[in-house]
Every structure is written in C-alpha cells, then in structure tokens.
Amino acid sequence: MKTRRDFLQHLTTAALALPIASVYGLENPLPPVEVPYQGPVLRVALLGLGSYATRVAEAMKACTKAKLVGAISGTPSKLKDWQRKYNIPEKNCYNYENFDAIKNNPDIDAVYIITPNALHKPQCLRVAQAGKHVITEKPMAINVTEAQQMVDACKQANVKLLVGYRMHFEAKTLEVIRMRKAGDFGKVLFFQGLSGFIIGDPTQWRLNPALSGGGAMMDIGIYSVNGARYMIGEEPVWVTAQETKTDPVKFKAGIDETIQFQFGFPSGAVASCLSTYSLNNLDKFFLDGTKGFAELQPSTGYGPIEGRTHKGVLKYPHVTHQTTQMDEMADILLNNRQPEVPVDGEEGLKDMKLIDAIYAAVKSGQRVELKG
Ligand code: NAD
C-alpha cells in the first residue's frame, strides 16, 4: 500500500513548491510533512555536571543538530548516573585528571565547560590542546587577561571558541535588535538593564572569589553588560560605576553585592544598569529612542521572555533557550554560520574588558575611558 510519505516522495519539486492546500484541495489539506534533519550533528561532551549542565543536557534532548555524547566529572557516581540517564557510552566519560585523552576520541567534536568561572580558562586551554572546539559558560573567564589567553589558545590550536550566550538566539531579543537596525526606534539614546536575584547558601562557590572571580557582576550583572551592547548596537567608550554593600559578612572582599554602572556610547547614547545579589524581581531591559521604545521583562531568565515595543506586544512562541542555543552553535561550529549577534571568544572578551573597567571605576571612583 502506498503511504502518504511514498506519495509525497514522488511529487515533483514543482508540486512541492505549491502551497499544500493547492495540492490536496482546500477542503481537506494534509498537515505539512516534517522532513527529518539529515545534516551533520555536533557531538558534545559536557564538562562539569552541576545544575546548569543538567539543564543543558535536558534541553539537548530536543536538539536536532547537536547531541550530548560525553561527560567529564570529578564524581564517579555522577558519571554512572549520566551514562544511564543520557545514554552516554562509558568510553566517552572522563574525569578532571584524564580528560586530555579526549584528543584520541574521534566521537567527540566539542566540549562545553560548565564549571565555576575560575576553572573556565585552564579547562579551555586543555580542551583546545586536545584539538576539540570549546564552548564555555559565561563569564568566559575571571578577567580580560585570562579571556585573551583563551582566545589565543583556541586560535593557535585551530579550534573554535564560543561562549554560552543563550539570549543571542532568543526570538523576542532578536526582534528588538532587528527593529533597532531598521530604525524603528529612531535615534536610540538610552538603555536600562536591571539584573539581580537574592543569592542563597553563603558557602557556595559563587561567594568564593577564588572560584567566582567576583560577585553578582560576574554572575548576573554580565547580562546587563552584554545586553547594553547588543540592544544599543555599539561599544561603550566610557564607564562609571558605584558599589554598595549591605552585608559585608556574606559578601566578603572580592565579592560585589550591588554595583550600579553606566556606559557612554560613541553616538551619545547612555546605559544605566544595576547588578545585585540582594534583590529579586530584577530582570528587565528597556531601550528608548526618539521614535519608539522596547521593553523586555523578564529579559534574560530562562523564559518565556516577555516583551513589548511602541508598536505592540512581541509575540513569538517560547522555545527552551538551551535547545536553540545548542542547535545554532552546531551550525556555527560545523557549517561556519554567522549568528546575528556573535557568540565567539572575541564577543566574550568585550564583556570581560567592560567588567574589568567597571571594577576599576568602582575602585578609583573615576570615569574609565575606553578605546571603543
Ligand atoms: P553548579 O555549582 O551547579 O555546578 C558546578 C559544577 O562544577 C559542579 O558539578 C561541580 O562539581 C563542578 N566543579 C568542578 N570543580 C569544582 C570546584 N573546584 N568547586 C566547585 N565545583 C566544581 O554551578 P552552575 O550553576 O552549574 O554554574 C556553572 C557555570 O555555568 C558558571 O560559570 C555559571 O556562571 C554558568 N551558568 C550559566 C547560566 C546561563 O544561563 N547561561 C546559568 C547558570 C550558570
């Protein structure tokens, strides 16, 4: 018996180009046929199997271009767990001592580093030396010097380096960027970014400067740093910043609790942002121009992102961010696709330069001038 699939396979290209309703008649149109993806698949190992890695692993179940095939952890029981849960072969599992041997594993294309911030650089250098593409979580490093070393090491090893900027693939965010480029907001002069949450457990690595490299700024404030750049579409030329601390016991030296910072852009636009570990309900971007505005709230959480502009509510279906991110990153790594907003090491480096400048401005109380 001929199936619907057989029938469709024998349709000519011309017939396939017709709207489906014209082929079958308007009364009883068949639903569109899903053609399974048949292109190359990026085979990924996750390094560090903590809470965000688990979120990524779950999201990757729905990926078509990327596949979770390997795991690296210091905890043998976690590796056993992940082998069962995600169908990962034993031969693709490594610990922190032996993962350089990934070099000899032809079944892994890329390693996604999802460990505490201070470990990103040394682990990136090892992955690059093993000849695998690197995806690293944000912040890519704990300062600009380390970030530059990562970019250089990947270049030298001839592998690509990407940073886990999931918002760069989010539909409502991209629509605001499209509208700004199309001139819908007129001359953009102001961005506000509010990024914060109340942090719990005082013993966690996020509150240990040796592992985190800083406080809220490194963790959540970076969303406003990065967002200011992609929403305004320029690179800051000056930075000012002020720090406040209400709990010096929980937020010890080297861990910023709250920082307000401002950026000035070449066009004259300014950004005013807040980064904090002491307030919830702070996840908002606001962009204003001479002809209109855009507001995203929540703007960078796991979603759904909500947004509106002077033209109305932004309507795009929510897709799990990490699913889209990993499929898009597969396209970037395997097919050299150029994303609308970059996610490469150079992009991460720009944020690290700004974060270093914010800390310098806090320390000196002076405006820090940047080259742009
Ligand atoms: P986590 O504490 O839940 O997991 C960290 C993992 O690293 C754990 O499995 C831990 O065992 C392992 N690890 C290895 N060496 C360690 C050491 N010396 N000390 C402590 N842990 C060590 O943290 P997380 O929330 O998964 O964050 C990991 C990274 O992911 C961070 O860089 C963070 O900024 C980033 N992150 C990104 C997003 C995002 O939306 N893009 C969200 C959350 C976290």
Side-chain angles (χ1 to χ4, degrees), residues 34-44 56-69 109 319-320 322-331 334-335:
E34 268 184 41
V35 182
Y37 173 73
Q38 283 173 342
V41 169
L42 183 77
R43 299 160 306 167
V44 181
V56 170
E58 288 298 314
M60 285 185 74
K61 287 177 178 170
C63 283
T64 52
K65 298 178 179 172
K67 188 169 188 278
L68 173 61
V69 299
D109 304 310
V319 181
T320 304
Q322 296 80 7
T323 305
T324 313
Q325 174 200 324
M326 293 311 290
D327 270 342
E328 296 276 345
M329 286 187 163
D331 241 355
L334 298 174
N335 304 323

PDB file of all heavy atoms in Angstrom, residues 34-44 56-69 109 319-320 322-331 334-335:
ATOM      1  N   GLU A  34       6.960  16.743   8.168  1.00  0.00           N
ATOM      2  CA  GLU A  34       8.240  17.113   8.757  1.00  0.00           C
ATOM      3  C   GLU A  34       9.356  16.297   8.146  1.00  0.00           C
ATOM      4  O   GLU A  34       9.309  15.064   8.178  1.00  0.00           O
ATOM      5  CB  GLU A  34       8.200  16.864  10.262  1.00  0.00           C
ATOM      6  CG  GLU A  34       7.769  18.087  11.021  1.00  0.00           C
ATOM      7  CD  GLU A  34       7.815  17.876  12.512  1.00  0.00           C
ATOM      8  OE1 GLU A  34       8.774  17.257  13.005  1.00  0.00           O
ATOM      9  OE2 GLU A  34       6.854  18.324  13.159  1.00  0.00           O
ATOM     10  N   VAL A  35      10.331  16.977   7.555  1.00  0.00           N
ATOM     11  CA  VAL A  35      11.463  16.252   6.971  1.00  0.00           C
ATOM     12  C   VAL A  35      12.545  16.167   8.036  1.00  0.00           C
ATOM     13  O   VAL A  35      13.013  17.190   8.532  1.00  0.00           O
ATOM     14  CB  VAL A  35      11.995  16.993   5.720  1.00  0.00           C
ATOM     15  CG1 VAL A  35      13.134  16.215   5.086  1.00  0.00           C
ATOM     16  CG2 VAL A  35      10.869  17.239   4.743  1.00  0.00           C
ATOM     17  N   PRO A  36      12.948  14.954   8.439  1.00  0.00           N
ATOM     18  CA  PRO A  36      13.961  14.861   9.493  1.00  0.00           C
ATOM     19  C   PRO A  36      15.280  15.492   9.046  1.00  0.00           C
ATOM     20  O   PRO A  36      15.649  15.393   7.886  1.00  0.00           O
ATOM     21  CB  PRO A  36      14.129  13.352   9.715  1.00  0.00           C
ATOM     22  CG  PRO A  36      13.191  12.662   8.801  1.00  0.00           C
ATOM     23  CD  PRO A  36      12.543  13.659   7.897  1.00  0.00           C
ATOM     24  N   TYR A  37      15.970  16.144  10.003  1.00  0.00           N
ATOM     25  CA  TYR A  37      17.259  16.768   9.705  1.00  0.00           C
ATOM     26  C   TYR A  37      18.270  15.683   9.340  1.00  0.00           C
ATOM     27  O   TYR A  37      18.384  14.672  10.026  1.00  0.00           O
ATOM     28  CB  TYR A  37      17.730  17.559  10.932  1.00  0.00           C
ATOM     29  CG  TYR A  37      19.127  18.106  10.801  1.00  0.00           C
ATOM     30  CD1 TYR A  37      19.396  19.185   9.967  1.00  0.00           C
ATOM     31  CD2 TYR A  37      20.193  17.536  11.507  1.00  0.00           C
ATOM     32  CE1 TYR A  37      20.682  19.684   9.832  1.00  0.00           C
ATOM     33  CE2 TYR A  37      21.476  18.037  11.378  1.00  0.00           C
ATOM     34  CZ  TYR A  37      21.710  19.116  10.537  1.00  0.00           C
ATOM     35  OH  TYR A  37      22.985  19.599  10.403  1.00  0.00           O
ATOM     36  N   GLN A  38      18.984  15.909   8.231  1.00  0.00           N
ATOM     37  CA  GLN A  38      19.931  14.877   7.809  1.00  0.00           C
ATOM     38  C   GLN A  38      21.363  15.393   7.691  1.00  0.00           C
ATOM     39  O   GLN A  38      22.226  14.695   7.187  1.00  0.00           O
ATOM     40  CB  GLN A  38      19.460  14.283   6.482  1.00  0.00           C
ATOM     41  CG  GLN A  38      18.303  13.323   6.710  1.00  0.00           C
ATOM     42  CD  GLN A  38      17.680  12.829   5.432  1.00  0.00           C
ATOM     43  OE1 GLN A  38      17.864  13.415   4.368  1.00  0.00           O
ATOM     44  NE2 GLN A  38      16.925  11.749   5.526  1.00  0.00           N
ATOM     45  N   GLY A  39      21.589  16.623   8.149  1.00  0.00           N
ATOM     46  CA  GLY A  39      22.924  17.225   8.048  1.00  0.00           C
ATOM     47  C   GLY A  39      23.849  16.736   9.153  1.00  0.00           C
ATOM     48  O   GLY A  39      23.491  15.851   9.943  1.00  0.00           O
ATOM     49  N   PRO A  40      25.022  17.346   9.246  1.00  0.00           N
ATOM     50  CA  PRO A  40      25.988  16.927  10.268  1.00  0.00           C
ATOM     51  C   PRO A  40      25.502  17.271  11.678  1.00  0.00           C
ATOM     52  O   PRO A  40      24.784  18.256  11.866  1.00  0.00           O
ATOM     53  CB  PRO A  40      27.242  17.735   9.928  1.00  0.00           C
ATOM     54  CG  PRO A  40      26.744  18.896   9.133  1.00  0.00           C
ATOM     55  CD  PRO A  40      25.509  18.443   8.423  1.00  0.00           C
ATOM     56  N   VAL A  41      25.890  16.447  12.635  1.00  0.00           N
ATOM     57  CA  VAL A  41      25.474  16.653  14.031  1.00  0.00           C
ATOM     58  C   VAL A  41      26.716  16.917  14.883  1.00  0.00           C
ATOM     59  O   VAL A  41      27.712  16.206  14.775  1.00  0.00           O
ATOM     60  CB  VAL A  41      24.712  15.401  14.537  1.00  0.00           C
ATOM     61  CG1 VAL A  41      24.498  15.462  16.044  1.00  0.00           C
ATOM     62  CG2 VAL A  41      23.368  15.275  13.819  1.00  0.00           C
ATOM     63  N   LEU A  42      26.638  17.960  15.721  1.00  0.00           N
ATOM     64  CA  LEU A  42      27.751  18.287  16.620  1.00  0.00           C
ATOM     65  C   LEU A  42      27.676  17.366  17.835  1.00  0.00           C
ATOM     66  O   LEU A  42      26.674  17.351  18.558  1.00  0.00           O
ATOM     67  CB  LEU A  42      27.644  19.751  17.068  1.00  0.00           C
ATOM     68  CG  LEU A  42      28.785  20.233  17.961  1.00  0.00           C
ATOM     69  CD1 LEU A  42      30.039  20.507  17.124  1.00  0.00           C
ATOM     70  CD2 LEU A  42      28.381  21.489  18.736  1.00  0.00           C
ATOM     71  N   ARG A  43      28.752  16.609  18.083  1.00  0.00           N
ATOM     72  CA  ARG A  43      28.777  15.663  19.211  1.00  0.00           C
ATOM     73  C   ARG A  43      29.503  16.321  20.381  1.00  0.00           C
ATOM     74  O   ARG A  43      30.687  16.643  20.287  1.00  0.00           O
ATOM     75  CB  ARG A  43      29.440  14.366  18.762  1.00  0.00           C
ATOM     76  CG  ARG A  43      28.657  13.693  17.614  1.00  0.00           C
ATOM     77  CD  ARG A  43      29.491  12.727  16.840  1.00  0.00           C
ATOM     78  NE  ARG A  43      30.719  13.327  16.338  1.00  0.00           N
ATOM     79  CZ  ARG A  43      31.743  12.647  15.837  1.00  0.00           C
ATOM     80  NH1 ARG A  43      31.680  11.333  15.760  1.00  0.00           N
ATOM     81  NH2 ARG A  43      32.827  13.259  15.417  1.00  0.00           N
ATOM     82  N   VAL A  44      28.742  16.544  21.453  1.00  0.00           N
ATOM     83  CA  VAL A  44      29.205  17.395  22.550  1.00  0.00           C
ATOM     84  C   VAL A  44      29.413  16.600  23.836  1.00  0.00           C
ATOM     85  O   VAL A  44      28.597  15.757  24.196  1.00  0.00           O
ATOM     86  CB  VAL A  44      28.152  18.501  22.830  1.00  0.00           C
ATOM     87  CG1 VAL A  44      28.604  19.427  23.955  1.00  0.00           C
ATOM     88  CG2 VAL A  44      27.851  19.297  21.569  1.00  0.00           C
ATOM     89  N   VAL A  56      21.187  22.027  30.556  1.00  0.00           N
ATOM     90  CA  VAL A  56      21.629  21.941  29.156  1.00  0.00           C
ATOM     91  C   VAL A  56      21.383  20.519  28.622  1.00  0.00           C
ATOM     92  O   VAL A  56      20.878  20.335  27.512  1.00  0.00           O
ATOM     93  CB  VAL A  56      23.125  22.329  29.027  1.00  0.00           C
ATOM     94  CG1 VAL A  56      23.664  22.011  27.635  1.00  0.00           C
ATOM     95  CG2 VAL A  56      23.328  23.809  29.354  1.00  0.00           C
ATOM     96  N   ALA A  57      21.725  19.514  29.431  1.00  0.00           N
ATOM     97  CA  ALA A  57      21.553  18.116  28.999  1.00  0.00           C
ATOM     98  C   ALA A  57      20.076  17.825  28.709  1.00  0.00           C
ATOM     99  O   ALA A  57      19.753  17.193  27.692  1.00  0.00           O
ATOM    100  CB  ALA A  57      22.083  17.171  30.076  1.00  0.00           C
ATOM    101  N   GLU A  58      19.197  18.295  29.572  1.00  0.00           N
ATOM    102  CA  GLU A  58      17.759  18.084  29.357  1.00  0.00           C
ATOM    103  C   GLU A  58      17.304  18.773  28.064  1.00  0.00           C
ATOM    104  O   GLU A  58      16.573  18.197  27.268  1.00  0.00           O
ATOM    105  CB  GLU A  58      16.958  18.614  30.553  1.00  0.00           C
ATOM    106  CG  GLU A  58      17.085  17.756  31.806  1.00  0.00           C
ATOM    107  CD  GLU A  58      16.552  16.330  31.611  1.00  0.00           C
ATOM    108  OE1 GLU A  58      15.457  16.179  31.046  1.00  0.00           O
ATOM    109  OE2 GLU A  58      17.248  15.376  32.015  1.00  0.00           O
ATOM    110  N   ALA A  59      17.774  20.007  27.884  1.00  0.00           N
ATOM    111  CA  ALA A  59      17.372  20.782  26.694  1.00  0.00           C
ATOM    112  C   ALA A  59      17.896  20.142  25.414  1.00  0.00           C
ATOM    113  O   ALA A  59      17.253  20.208  24.360  1.00  0.00           O
ATOM    114  CB  ALA A  59      17.882  22.215  26.814  1.00  0.00           C
ATOM    115  N   MET A  60      19.071  19.513  25.503  1.00  0.00           N
ATOM    116  CA  MET A  60      19.672  18.922  24.301  1.00  0.00           C
ATOM    117  C   MET A  60      18.907  17.705  23.789  1.00  0.00           C
ATOM    118  O   MET A  60      19.085  17.303  22.642  1.00  0.00           O
ATOM    119  CB  MET A  60      21.145  18.574  24.561  1.00  0.00           C
ATOM    120  CG  MET A  60      22.039  19.808  24.570  1.00  0.00           C
ATOM    121  SD  MET A  60      23.786  19.402  24.735  1.00  0.00           S
ATOM    122  CE  MET A  60      24.154  18.757  23.090  1.00  0.00           C
ATOM    123  N   LYS A  61      18.022  17.165  24.621  1.00  0.00           N
ATOM    124  CA  LYS A  61      17.198  16.035  24.149  1.00  0.00           C
ATOM    125  C   LYS A  61      16.361  16.450  22.939  1.00  0.00           C
ATOM    126  O   LYS A  61      16.005  15.629  22.113  1.00  0.00           O
ATOM    127  CB  LYS A  61      16.263  15.567  25.267  1.00  0.00           C
ATOM    128  CG  LYS A  61      16.937  14.806  26.385  1.00  0.00           C
ATOM    129  CD  LYS A  61      15.910  14.474  27.444  1.00  0.00           C
ATOM    130  CE  LYS A  61      16.498  13.676  28.589  1.00  0.00           C
ATOM    131  NZ  LYS A  61      15.542  13.568  29.705  1.00  0.00           N
ATOM    132  N   ALA A  62      16.027  17.738  22.861  1.00  0.00           N
ATOM    133  CA  ALA A  62      15.173  18.218  21.768  1.00  0.00           C
ATOM    134  C   ALA A  62      15.985  18.792  20.600  1.00  0.00           C
ATOM    135  O   ALA A  62      15.417  19.280  19.630  1.00  0.00           O
ATOM    136  CB  ALA A  62      14.204  19.272  22.301  1.00  0.00           C
ATOM    137  N   CYS A  63      17.315  18.731  20.690  1.00  0.00           N
ATOM    138  CA  CYS A  63      18.153  19.277  19.607  1.00  0.00           C
ATOM    139  C   CYS A  63      18.119  18.350  18.398  1.00  0.00           C
ATOM    140  O   CYS A  63      17.996  17.129  18.531  1.00  0.00           O
ATOM    141  CB  CYS A  63      19.606  19.407  20.077  1.00  0.00           C
ATOM    142  SG  CYS A  63      19.901  20.815  21.158  1.00  0.00           S
ATOM    143  N   THR A  64      18.278  18.941  17.221  1.00  0.00           N
ATOM    144  CA  THR A  64      18.393  18.118  16.015  1.00  0.00           C
ATOM    145  C   THR A  64      19.816  18.145  15.456  1.00  0.00           C
ATOM    146  O   THR A  64      20.246  17.198  14.810  1.00  0.00           O
ATOM    147  CB  THR A  64      17.434  18.620  14.912  1.00  0.00           C
ATOM    148  OG1 THR A  64      17.657  20.018  14.752  1.00  0.00           O
ATOM    149  CG2 THR A  64      15.987  18.370  15.289  1.00  0.00           C
ATOM    150  N   LYS A  65      20.542  19.247  15.722  1.00  0.00           N
ATOM    151  CA  LYS A  65      21.879  19.386  15.133  1.00  0.00           C
ATOM    152  C   LYS A  65      22.997  19.137  16.134  1.00  0.00           C
ATOM    153  O   LYS A  65      24.168  19.121  15.759  1.00  0.00           O
ATOM    154  CB  LYS A  65      22.032  20.791  14.544  1.00  0.00           C
ATOM    155  CG  LYS A  65      21.031  21.058  13.430  1.00  0.00           C
ATOM    156  CD  LYS A  65      21.160  22.454  12.912  1.00  0.00           C
ATOM    157  CE  LYS A  65      20.153  22.672  11.794  1.00  0.00           C
ATOM    158  NZ  LYS A  65      20.113  24.071  11.383  1.00  0.00           N
ATOM    159  N   ALA A  66      22.658  19.047  17.416  1.00  0.00           N
ATOM    160  CA  ALA A  66      23.666  18.813  18.455  1.00  0.00           C
ATOM    161  C   ALA A  66      23.228  17.623  19.291  1.00  0.00           C
ATOM    162  O   ALA A  66      22.027  17.400  19.487  1.00  0.00           O
ATOM    163  CB  ALA A  66      23.810  20.045  19.332  1.00  0.00           C
ATOM    164  N   LYS A  67      24.211  16.853  19.761  1.00  0.00           N
ATOM    165  CA  LYS A  67      23.878  15.661  20.535  1.00  0.00           C
ATOM    166  C   LYS A  67      24.833  15.547  21.717  1.00  0.00           C
ATOM    167  O   LYS A  67      26.042  15.731  21.552  1.00  0.00           O
ATOM    168  CB  LYS A  67      24.022  14.436  19.621  1.00  0.00           C
ATOM    169  CG  LYS A  67      23.520  13.149  20.219  1.00  0.00           C
ATOM    170  CD  LYS A  67      23.452  12.055  19.129  1.00  0.00           C
ATOM    171  CE  LYS A  67      22.776  10.821  19.623  1.00  0.00           C
ATOM    172  NZ  LYS A  67      23.497   9.893  20.373  1.00  0.00           N
ATOM    173  N   LEU A  68      24.282  15.249  22.869  1.00  0.00           N
ATOM    174  CA  LEU A  68      25.114  15.000  24.053  1.00  0.00           C
ATOM    175  C   LEU A  68      25.673  13.583  23.957  1.00  0.00           C
ATOM    176  O   LEU A  68      24.912  12.608  23.940  1.00  0.00           O
ATOM    177  CB  LEU A  68      24.256  15.156  25.311  1.00  0.00           C
ATOM    178  CG  LEU A  68      24.916  14.764  26.630  1.00  0.00           C
ATOM    179  CD1 LEU A  68      26.149  15.609  26.904  1.00  0.00           C
ATOM    180  CD2 LEU A  68      23.925  14.892  27.783  1.00  0.00           C
ATOM    181  N   VAL A  69      27.015  13.478  23.880  1.00  0.00           N
ATOM    182  CA  VAL A  69      27.616  12.150  23.718  1.00  0.00           C
ATOM    183  C   VAL A  69      28.672  11.838  24.775  1.00  0.00           C
ATOM    184  O   VAL A  69      29.155  10.711  24.847  1.00  0.00           O
ATOM    185  CB  VAL A  69      28.274  11.973  22.322  1.00  0.00           C
ATOM    186  CG1 VAL A  69      27.269  12.124  21.192  1.00  0.00           C
ATOM    187  CG2 VAL A  69      29.439  12.954  22.144  1.00  0.00           C
ATOM    188  N   ASP A 109      33.228  16.115  19.223  1.00  0.00           N
ATOM    189  CA  ASP A 109      33.654  17.275  18.433  1.00  0.00           C
ATOM    190  C   ASP A 109      33.937  18.499  19.300  1.00  0.00           C
ATOM    191  O   ASP A 109      34.761  19.338  18.951  1.00  0.00           O
ATOM    192  CB  ASP A 109      32.548  17.692  17.444  1.00  0.00           C
ATOM    193  CG  ASP A 109      32.128  16.561  16.533  1.00  0.00           C
ATOM    194  OD1 ASP A 109      33.015  15.927  15.940  1.00  0.00           O
ATOM    195  OD2 ASP A 109      30.913  16.305  16.421  1.00  0.00           O
ATOM    196  N   VAL A 319      10.744  28.860  23.028  1.00  0.00           N
ATOM    197  CA  VAL A 319      11.491  27.617  22.797  1.00  0.00           C
ATOM    198  C   VAL A 319      12.576  27.578  23.873  1.00  0.00           C
ATOM    199  O   VAL A 319      13.204  28.611  24.157  1.00  0.00           O
ATOM    200  CB  VAL A 319      12.149  27.593  21.390  1.00  0.00           C
ATOM    201  CG1 VAL A 319      12.888  26.273  21.173  1.00  0.00           C
ATOM    202  CG2 VAL A 319      11.114  27.818  20.302  1.00  0.00           C
ATOM    203  N   THR A 320      12.798  26.419  24.477  1.00  0.00           N
ATOM    204  CA  THR A 320      13.823  26.301  25.527  1.00  0.00           C
ATOM    205  C   THR A 320      15.140  26.877  24.999  1.00  0.00           C
ATOM    206  O   THR A 320      15.644  26.447  23.954  1.00  0.00           O
ATOM    207  CB  THR A 320      13.995  24.821  25.927  1.00  0.00           C
ATOM    208  OG1 THR A 320      12.727  24.349  26.326  1.00  0.00           O
ATOM    209  CG2 THR A 320      14.982  24.665  27.067  1.00  0.00           C
ATOM    210  N   GLN A 322      18.260  26.762  25.744  1.00  0.00           N
ATOM    211  CA  GLN A 322      19.474  25.953  25.555  1.00  0.00           C
ATOM    212  C   GLN A 322      19.325  24.996  24.366  1.00  0.00           C
ATOM    213  O   GLN A 322      20.330  24.583  23.788  1.00  0.00           O
ATOM    214  CB  GLN A 322      19.788  25.192  26.846  1.00  0.00           C
ATOM    215  CG  GLN A 322      20.125  26.079  28.045  1.00  0.00           C
ATOM    216  CD  GLN A 322      18.902  26.682  28.740  1.00  0.00           C
ATOM    217  OE1 GLN A 322      17.753  26.346  28.419  1.00  0.00           O
ATOM    218  NE2 GLN A 322      19.130  27.572  29.690  1.00  0.00           N
ATOM    219  N   THR A 323      18.086  24.664  23.998  1.00  0.00           N
ATOM    220  CA  THR A 323      17.866  23.822  22.812  1.00  0.00           C
ATOM    221  C   THR A 323      18.240  24.616  21.559  1.00  0.00           C
ATOM    222  O   THR A 323      19.031  24.158  20.716  1.00  0.00           O
ATOM    223  CB  THR A 323      16.388  23.374  22.719  1.00  0.00           C
ATOM    224  OG1 THR A 323      16.014  22.725  23.925  1.00  0.00           O
ATOM    225  CG2 THR A 323      16.173  22.434  21.542  1.00  0.00           C
ATOM    226  N   THR A 324      17.698  25.822  21.465  1.00  0.00           N
ATOM    227  CA  THR A 324      18.016  26.674  20.311  1.00  0.00           C
ATOM    228  C   THR A 324      19.510  26.977  20.279  1.00  0.00           C
ATOM    229  O   THR A 324      20.151  26.878  19.228  1.00  0.00           O
ATOM    230  CB  THR A 324      17.251  28.023  20.408  1.00  0.00           C
ATOM    231  OG1 THR A 324      15.894  27.741  20.723  1.00  0.00           O
ATOM    232  CG2 THR A 324      17.336  28.808  19.127  1.00  0.00           C
ATOM    233  N   GLN A 325      20.055  27.340  21.433  1.00  0.00           N
ATOM    234  CA  GLN A 325      21.484  27.693  21.512  1.00  0.00           C
ATOM    235  C   GLN A 325      22.354  26.566  20.970  1.00  0.00           C
ATOM    236  O   GLN A 325      23.253  26.792  20.145  1.00  0.00           O
ATOM    237  CB  GLN A 325      21.862  27.990  22.960  1.00  0.00           C
ATOM    238  CG  GLN A 325      23.347  28.233  23.176  1.00  0.00           C
ATOM    239  CD  GLN A 325      23.776  28.040  24.629  1.00  0.00           C
ATOM    240  OE1 GLN A 325      23.033  28.361  25.552  1.00  0.00           O
ATOM    241  NE2 GLN A 325      24.962  27.516  24.839  1.00  0.00           N
ATOM    242  N   MET A 326      22.103  25.340  21.402  1.00  0.00           N
ATOM    243  CA  MET A 326      22.987  24.241  21.014  1.00  0.00           C
ATOM    244  C   MET A 326      22.818  23.880  19.530  1.00  0.00           C
ATOM    245  O   MET A 326      23.798  23.533  18.856  1.00  0.00           O
ATOM    246  CB  MET A 326      22.779  23.022  21.920  1.00  0.00           C
ATOM    247  CG  MET A 326      23.219  23.251  23.355  1.00  0.00           C
ATOM    248  SD  MET A 326      24.882  23.959  23.509  1.00  0.00           S
ATOM    249  CE  MET A 326      25.893  22.586  22.973  1.00  0.00           C
ATOM    250  N   ASP A 327      21.584  23.966  19.015  1.00  0.00           N
ATOM    251  CA  ASP A 327      21.399  23.729  17.584  1.00  0.00           C
ATOM    252  C   ASP A 327      22.099  24.815  16.756  1.00  0.00           C
ATOM    253  O   ASP A 327      22.740  24.535  15.744  1.00  0.00           O
ATOM    254  CB  ASP A 327      19.897  23.692  17.241  1.00  0.00           C
ATOM    255  CG  ASP A 327      19.331  22.277  17.360  1.00  0.00           C
ATOM    256  OD1 ASP A 327      20.124  21.299  17.356  1.00  0.00           O
ATOM    257  OD2 ASP A 327      18.095  22.140  17.455  1.00  0.00           O
ATOM    258  N   GLU A 328      21.973  26.065  17.215  1.00  0.00           N
ATOM    259  CA  GLU A 328      22.608  27.177  16.486  1.00  0.00           C
ATOM    260  C   GLU A 328      24.137  27.070  16.583  1.00  0.00           C
ATOM    261  O   GLU A 328      24.846  27.341  15.619  1.00  0.00           O
ATOM    262  CB  GLU A 328      22.146  28.521  17.058  1.00  0.00           C
ATOM    263  CG  GLU A 328      20.657  28.775  16.873  1.00  0.00           C
ATOM    264  CD  GLU A 328      20.317  29.357  15.518  1.00  0.00           C
ATOM    265  OE1 GLU A 328      21.227  29.832  14.821  1.00  0.00           O
ATOM    266  OE2 GLU A 328      19.126  29.337  15.159  1.00  0.00           O
ATOM    267  N   MET A 329      24.627  26.675  17.758  1.00  0.00           N
ATOM    268  CA  MET A 329      26.080  26.558  17.913  1.00  0.00           C
ATOM    269  C   MET A 329      26.629  25.427  17.039  1.00  0.00           C
ATOM    270  O   MET A 329      27.752  25.518  16.524  1.00  0.00           O
ATOM    271  CB  MET A 329      26.459  26.369  19.379  1.00  0.00           C
ATOM    272  CG  MET A 329      26.318  27.669  20.162  1.00  0.00           C
ATOM    273  SD  MET A 329      26.938  27.562  21.842  1.00  0.00           S
ATOM    274  CE  MET A 329      27.083  29.322  22.249  1.00  0.00           C
ATOM    275  N   ALA A 330      25.826  24.384  16.855  1.00  0.00           N
ATOM    276  CA  ALA A 330      26.235  23.304  15.952  1.00  0.00           C
ATOM    277  C   ALA A 330      26.412  23.853  14.544  1.00  0.00           C
ATOM    278  O   ALA A 330      27.402  23.557  13.859  1.00  0.00           O
ATOM    279  CB  ALA A 330      25.188  22.188  15.965  1.00  0.00           C
ATOM    280  N   ASP A 331      25.476  24.701  14.131  1.00  0.00           N
ATOM    281  CA  ASP A 331      25.547  25.314  12.806  1.00  0.00           C
ATOM    282  C   ASP A 331      26.784  26.208  12.676  1.00  0.00           C
ATOM    283  O   ASP A 331      27.427  26.258  11.632  1.00  0.00           O
ATOM    284  CB  ASP A 331      24.301  26.189  12.606  1.00  0.00           C
ATOM    285  CG  ASP A 331      23.472  25.705  11.439  1.00  0.00           C
ATOM    286  OD1 ASP A 331      23.900  24.768  10.749  1.00  0.00           O
ATOM    287  OD2 ASP A 331      22.386  26.285  11.217  1.00  0.00           O
ATOM    288  N   LEU A 334      29.946  23.687  12.807  1.00  0.00           N
ATOM    289  CA  LEU A 334      30.075  22.721  11.705  1.00  0.00           C
ATOM    290  C   LEU A 334      29.927  23.365  10.335  1.00  0.00           C
ATOM    291  O   LEU A 334      30.516  22.914   9.364  1.00  0.00           O
ATOM    292  CB  LEU A 334      29.033  21.609  11.852  1.00  0.00           C
ATOM    293  CG  LEU A 334      29.141  20.747  13.115  1.00  0.00           C
ATOM    294  CD1 LEU A 334      27.971  19.784  13.191  1.00  0.00           C
ATOM    295  CD2 LEU A 334      30.454  19.977  13.137  1.00  0.00           C
ATOM    296  N   ASN A 335      29.088  24.407  10.257  1.00  0.00           N
ATOM    297  CA  ASN A 335      28.777  24.984   8.935  1.00  0.00           C
ATOM    298  C   ASN A 335      29.224  26.434   8.792  1.00  0.00           C
ATOM    299  O   ASN A 335      28.809  27.113   7.843  1.00  0.00           O
ATOM    300  CB  ASN A 335      27.264  24.895   8.680  1.00  0.00           C
ATOM    301  CG  ASN A 335      26.759  23.456   8.812  1.00  0.00           C
ATOM    302  OD1 ASN A 335      27.452  22.521   8.419  1.00  0.00           O
ATOM    303  ND2 ASN A 335      25.578  23.286   9.377  1.00  0.00           N
TER     304      ASN A 335
END
